[in-house]
Amino acid sequence: MQIAAVPGEPAPEVRKRPKDRKAQLALAAAEMFCDRGYHGVSLDEIATAVGISGPAIYRHFPNKYALLVFATRQLTDNVLAATELTDLDDLLATMSRLAVQGRRVAGLYQWEWRYLDAEHRDEFRGDLEILVRRLGVPLLDLRPSMTKDDAEALVRAVLSVFGSLGTHRAVIAKGRGEAALHRMAWAVLREEPPTPAPVPAGEIEEQALRVGARREILLAEAIKLFHRYGYHAVGVEEIGRAAGINASSVYRYFPGKSDLLAAAFYRASERVAEATAVALTGAENDEDALRRMAQSYVDLTFERSALVSVYLAENNNLPDADRHELRKVQRLHVEEWVRLLVRLRPELPVAEARVVVHAALNVVTDLSRWVRFDRRTGMDKHLVRLAIAILQA
């Protein structure tokens, strides 16, 4: 039905639906998923962000999960379309540009893809393998003495450098950010490959936290479950069962599940602060202090793998007050690294130093997760060396 114009008045404006509405919705969803977590965003909020009503979103997507799948595909499709290149330096420059441009959606690559089901997770991993090969082939041409496994290990470290920009909010100019990522990527590719050593077949034994009091047992079991299944997939009943008590008894120690998560974050912050203090005590000079800081962070990551993983992955699920407070604590920890790095490299702007520090820390956590935090792979020793190389790039 057409709306007739009233004589003497201008014809009513006919609003046309944008042809790229589906892509707009996917981009808005991706940014919100990365900012607040997949489970912390509703379809109505995504619809509002692009200026449509909640019901109108169903013309494009049947549910929120379909949006996550489409957004993840859009991310990988864009990256793969832009990286059909053969020159390694051109590839690194392109990836640096994409990392800066797509900073707000990089969390899909870092964490949010874990909410995909098995079929779509395999699809995502398949696209990632294509990207790894695209970088690995010219790298092997440049360094023919390496094996394919060596090249893959280095490429994964480089992808972690690019992905690191989405793990923090440190402000940096676009050009400087691209240049820093490009420089760090080359520093990684010139290093000895962090190739994991083979380990005996079978299940890798999960590290247990030493616990005593009932509250500590609950916290330890919650951390393990959050690490294994994700915060939203775990209920208070399951935490209580793992600790050997019923669900109602859990509330004697923690008002709710979110308080257990907050306690895990405060515990992780304490461990990081303790490790940093120990590393800096007795350091001979700034260079030695930086090496000791890198070693302590790698040790903490492997020794407290479940705690560190929860600390990195579940930030968006914290209560607002705790999230703001813990972000301050996290920034203070990074600033310890930044002050030390700037003293060693006075030519490095502080804003750029923050980006470099976050890249080094992200490579440690990403590659340790890749080998399932198993020291038998030798990855812990590789990571100390790689972190230093990135900090010096």
Side-chain angles (χ1 to χ4, degrees):
M1 172 178 142
Q2 285 189 320
I3 301 175
V6 177
E9 293 185 9
E13 182 181 353
V14 179
R15 295 182 63 186
K16 294 183 179 180
R17 189 182 307 162
K19 292 181 180 178
D20 61 347
R21 178 69 83 197
K22 194 167 185 176
Q24 285 182 344
L25 285 165
L27 178 60
E31 291 178 349
M32 294 171 79
F33 292 158
C34 294
D35 186 48
R36 291 159 49 191
Y38 172 69
H39 290 284
V41 179
S42 71
L43 279 175
D44 283 342
E45 290 172 313
I46 296 168
T48 300
V50 298
I52 64 175
S53 66
I57 205 169
Y58 293 103
R59 297 174 188 157
H60 307 279
F61 297 99
N63 51 46
K64 188 169 72 169
Y65 179 77
L67 255 170
L68 176 64
V69 172
F70 189 88
T72 307
R73 283 176 177 162
Q74 188 168 256
L75 172 67
T76 54
D77 287 349
N78 290 343
V79 171
L80 292 179
T83 54
E84 293 180 340
L85 306 166
T86 56
D87 181 79
L88 184 56
D89 191 60
D90 288 345
L91 277 165
L92 297 181
T94 298
M95 291 294 294
S96 300
R97 174 175 53 80
L98 292 173
V100 172
Q101 289 178 350
R103 181 178 188 179
R104 293 189 62 189
V105 299
L108 290 178
Y109 163 73
Q110 286 290 132
W111 293 108
E112 297 308 310
W113 68 273
R114 65 198 166 130
Y115 295 115
L116 296 171
D117 63 24
E119 175 192 355
H120 296 121
R121 201 176 300 172
D122 287 343
E123 179 185 324
F124 176 80
R125 287 184 177 129
D127 288 338
L128 181 59
E129 289 302 319
I130 294 172
L131 183 59
V132 169
R133 287 195 298 273
R134 284 187 180 174
L135 288 163
V137 169
L139 176 57
L140 285 169
D141 290 340
L142 183 68
R143 302 182 61 179
S145 62
M146 292 198 312
T147 67
K148 287 184 179 180
D149 288 343
D150 293 338
E152 179 185 357
L154 278 176
V155 168
R156 285 184 178 275
V158 166
L159 293 179
S160 181
V161 168
F162 293 136
S164 68
L165 206 59
T167 66
H168 61 90
R169 300 181 178 185
V171 177
I172 189 168
K174 176 178 177 291
R176 281 196 175 275
E178 290 182 17
L181 292 174
H182 191 224
R183 188 176 67 246
M184 288 186 285
W186 268 119
V188 168
L189 293 183
R190 292 187 182 106
E191 274 293 312
E192 177 189 336
T195 314
V199 296
E203 188 69 22
I204 295 176
E205 188 173 322
E206 189 169 332
Q207 298 163 348
L209 299 176
R210 294 180 181 177
V211 294
R214 180 66 68 188
R215 188 178 189 279
E216 289 297 305
I217 294 173
L218 279 168
L219 181 56
E221 294 302 333
I223 289 168
K224 290 179 188 176
L225 290 169
F226 293 158
H227 168 52
R228 184 177 297 170
Y229 302 110
Y231 174 76
H232 284 280
V234 177
V236 171
E237 296 82 1
E238 293 162 294
I239 295 169
R241 192 181 308 119
I245 62 175
N246 57 42
S248 61
S249 298
V250 175
Y251 297 106
R252 297 178 187 172
Y253 304 94
F254 295 94
K257 188 174 73 164
S258 63
D259 300 280
L260 269 160
L261 181 63
F265 268 73
Y266 286 111
R267 177 60 50 83
S269 296
E270 291 167 7
R271 295 291 179 263
V272 169
E274 290 167 4
T276 300
V278 170
L280 294 176
T281 301
E284 297 177 3
N285 49 44
D286 287 343
E287 188 174 355
D288 182 46
L290 192 67
R291 184 194 60 77
R292 290 163 65 96
M293 288 267 283
Q295 182 69 63
S296 70
Y297 189 73
V298 170
D299 288 342
L300 178 66
T301 301
F302 277 84
E303 290 166 7
R304 301 278 181 170
S305 58
L307 182 62
V308 170
S309 291
V310 171
Y311 183 70
L312 294 169
E314 303 293 353
N315 188 283
N316 291 322
N317 294 312
L318 286 166
D320 287 344
D322 291 305
R323 184 167 63 251
H324 294 316
E325 181 61 31
L326 282 158
R327 278 179 177 165
K328 291 179 189 175
V329 174
Q330 289 169 339
R331 284 195 294 269
L332 288 173
H333 173 242
V334 169
E335 289 306 306
E336 288 276 1
W337 288 78
V338 170
R339 281 192 291 272
L340 186 56
L341 184 58
V342 170
R343 285 205 302 268
L344 281 166
R345 300 180 58 190
E347 81 288 353
L348 192 67
V350 172
E352 196 167 326
R354 290 192 184 100
V355 170
V356 170
V357 167
H358 279 290
L361 299 180
N362 199 55
V363 168
V364 170
T365 52
D366 275 357
L367 267 67
S368 58
R369 277 192 294 131
W370 181 42
V371 298
R372 298 177 64 191
F373 305 98
D374 190 344
R375 284 188 183 272
R376 293 174 295 177
T377 62
M379 185 59 75
D380 51 340
K381 296 179 176 60
H382 286 305
L383 287 174
V384 174
R385 173 178 47 76
L386 269 184
I388 296 296
I390 291 167
L391 292 166
Q392 293 176 342

